Amino acid sequence: MIEGGLNKDNFSLWMPVEVTKGTTVSGDEKWGFKGIASTTKRDTDNEVLMPQGFDLSYFTESGLVNWNHQSKDNPSAIIGEPTLAKVVPDGLYVETELYKTPTAKGVWELAKAMSKKKRKLGFSIEGKVLERDPLDATKITKAKITGLAITPTPKNNATFAEMVKGGAFEFDDDEDVNMFQKAMNKEDKVSLVMREFAAGKL
């Protein structure tokens, strides 16, 4: 999605996520998400982003993960940071680790509750347009990725984030791409618990 339409250069794009789970050196539970954060599928705002043209340097060095694009007005919405970002055949693959904050804990608990109902939260990349296709203004060929949101609001349901359970965060090209592809072919509706969390009721 290009925020404010085609005359604006900032954007966000939603994809479902997978939860990651492990432990720290001290034995504490480690929270995180991984998944495909962007593909070339056209979203509901009629926009197409080309992951091959993404500049990930700022995102990997200084980017942050936030809840539902609220970090601009609410610092407590910052819930983590990316630990890996790379372009793979299916799109932009991202792994994250959450901070131990109340908001991050709420997002983590919501994701676990939703997983029991076969629902998912999603990734929504944030960034700035650097270049568009001169023959198609809806196609973004180059972009600087600056942040990542965990959100229940879908714009492109072809990607997702999953909770990873146990061990270090790893990406196996054959196994995970197959898993991601299956998820891309499945459309999930926003559940009641997602709406309640977004409305601040949880």
Side-chain angles (χ1 to χ4, degrees), residues 30-171:
K30 184 167 62 175
W31 307 331
F33 295 93
K34 72 175 183 179
I36 297 294
S38 181
T39 72
T40 56
K41 180 179 178 180
R42 191 172 295 274
D43 66 20
T44 57
D45 289 323
N46 199 36
E47 296 289 344
V48 175
L49 284 85
M50 308 302 292
Q52 294 80 5
F54 287 170
D55 177 355
L56 301 174
S57 57
Y58 177 87
F59 179 63
T60 56
E61 295 172 8
S62 305
L64 295 169
V65 178
N66 68 81
W67 167 248
N68 206 27
H69 301 292
Q70 295 178 6
S71 60
K72 181 179 179 180
D73 301 314
N74 180 14
S76 67
I78 296 173
I79 59 174
E81 62 186 63
T83 56
L84 176 66
K86 64 179 181 178
V87 175
V88 298
D90 282 348
L92 173 63
Y93 174 78
V94 176
E95 293 181 0
T96 71
E97 185 171 344
L98 303 190
Y99 301 143
K100 291 303 180 78
T101 67
T103 303
K105 181 179 181 180
V107 174
W108 176 253
E109 293 298 333
L110 174 62
K112 289 198 298 183
M114 290 171 57
S115 68
K116 297 177 182 179
K117 300 295 184 180
K118 298 183 179 180
R119 298 285 194 250
K120 295 180 184 292
L121 293 174
F123 279 147
S124 181
I125 56 172
E126 301 171 339
K128 186 175 182 62
V129 175
L130 300 179
E131 184 177 289
R132 293 179 181 274
D133 186 332
L135 300 179
D136 183 357
T138 67
K139 182 179 290 185
I140 298 167
T141 55
K142 292 185 179 180
K144 181 178 182 179
I145 307 304
T146 58
L148 184 71
I150 303 295
T151 174
T153 309
K155 285 295 178 182
N156 185 330
N157 59 16
T159 64
F160 72 105
E162 294 285 348
M163 299 177 84
V164 177
K165 301 177 181 177
F169 301 170
E170 297 179 351
F171 179 66

Side-chain angles (χ1 to χ4, degrees), residues 41 118-119 157 182-189:
K41 180 179 178 180
K118 298 183 179 180
R119 298 285 194 250
N157 59 16
K182 289 179 181 178
M184 288 182 201
N185 295 328
K186 179 180 178 180
E187 295 185 2
D188 287 327
K189 295 181 180 179

